[in-house]
Amino acid sequence: DNHLRRLIITSSNTMASFEPNLEEESASLDGYFSDAPLKPKPSYPPLRETFETSVIITNLPKAPGAKVEKLTKVINRLVSKIGPLAETETFPGLQMPTNPETGATLGFAFVEYQSADAATQAVKSLTGYALDKNHTLKAIPYLEAMDLAHLEVEEFTQPEPAPFKEKPNTSLWLQDPSQRDQFVIRQGKETVVHWNDARNEPVVDYDGAREKEAGVAWCEYYVQWSPYGSFLA
């Protein structure tokens, strides 16, 4: 027991010798610290209250999670051709939201450029751009999208369909009981459409009688059949 007591006392003295002397340590650091209160002022970039440099691109492919990185590179390369993006440490200038459950993209992206002129050009260049045979892009300014958020949602009322109006049958000549063809002759200021077959003399189908009665010319220069013979232009 005496031996164990001596070991405990010796260990306690040894540990005490390694404890720092706070008074001596404080004295050695005298002059390094100021008595002034610490009030740091963080430095933030200027806050932009408008979004004229931002664009929303819609009708993008809804890529699965495994292909998001590849699609991001393709879209980033496309939008970067128009102008430099507003890249920061936390935002690369392009963001494609994804489904939190599946990881697939949602079919649209946010793009921010360094200038408003580049964003305006992006809307013109990307609208109607065929990314592939199934995806034709549409780009809209972010400010316009914000305006849509304030629209009041009204109950949809299905409009009444317009009354049916039968259109002229442009292939009616194919139903001629005599199985005749038609041809047109333009001579001077006269234009006449004829029925024709191989056994009889041509018969006048129309010579502009209605227009002549109204005092107007129904054909002023030349005429030509449409590729299927349905119209005369």
Side-chain angles (χ1 to χ4, degrees):
D1 292 342
N2 293 334
H3 179 69
L4 179 59
R5 191 181 299 110
R6 286 197 299 269
L7 287 175
I8 294 174
I9 295 173
T10 304
S11 299
S12 299
N13 294 336
T14 304
M15 293 178 62
S17 63
F18 287 100
E19 292 182 0
N21 189 322
L22 296 181
E23 294 182 0
E24 295 179 358
E25 185 174 353
S26 177
S28 64
L29 296 176
D30 187 25
Y32 285 92
F33 300 100
S34 172
D35 294 334
L38 183 62
K39 295 182 179 180
K41 295 182 179 181
S43 177
Y44 297 110
L47 177 64
R48 289 187 300 176
E49 298 181 356
T50 60
F51 296 90
E52 71 276 1
T53 59
S54 301
V55 174
I56 299 178
I57 304 176
T58 61
N59 204 29
L60 290 171
K62 294 183 179 181
K67 296 184 178 180
V68 170
E69 182 178 356
K70 181 179 180 180
L71 179 61
T72 302
K73 291 181 180 179
V74 172
I75 301 304
N76 187 78
R77 185 164 57 249
L78 176 64
V79 298
S80 297
K81 292 180 179 179
I82 300 173
L85 303 184
E87 300 180 13
T88 64
E89 294 181 357
T90 58
F91 179 64
L94 167 68
Q95 182 181 11
M96 286 195 297
T98 58
N99 187 317
E101 296 181 358
T102 64
T105 60
L106 300 178
F108 65 95
F110 298 98
V111 181
E112 184 176 1
Y113 289 93
Q114 293 184 7
S115 67
D117 292 339
T120 302
Q121 184 60 42
V123 173
K124 296 178 181 179
S125 301
L126 297 178
T127 298
Y129 179 84
L131 185 65
D132 54 41
K133 63 181 181 179
N134 296 322
H135 299 87
T136 300
L137 306 184
K138 182 178 180 181
I140 58 175
Y142 186 83
L143 292 176
E144 291 187 11
M146 292 180 64
D147 293 338
L148 295 177
H150 303 293
L151 292 179
E152 295 183 1
V153 180
E154 300 178 356
E155 185 177 355
F156 174 74
T157 302
Q158 185 173 357
E160 293 292 333
F164 175 75
K165 184 178 180 182
E166 187 174 2
K167 297 181 180 179
N169 185 358
T170 58
S171 300
L172 187 62
W173 63 276
L174 294 173
Q175 303 175 15
D176 179 56
S178 299
Q179 299 180 355
R180 297 172 295 177
D181 292 327
Q182 285 187 334
F183 68 91
V184 61
I185 294 179
R186 171 74 179 177
Q187 182 179 6
K189 295 183 179 180
E190 296 293 328
T191 302
V192 183
V193 180
H194 297 266
W195 286 109
N196 178 60
D197 60 31
R199 296 183 299 272
N200 303 295
E201 292 294 324
V203 179
V204 175
D205 182 37
Y206 189 69
D207 59 358
R210 293 189 299 271
E211 287 75 13
K212 290 178 182 179
E213 185 178 351
V216 297
W218 78 297
C219 292
E220 295 181 353
Y221 297 104
Y222 65 90
V223 293
Q224 182 177 354
W225 293 108
S226 63
Y228 290 100
S230 301
F231 301 95
L232 187 64

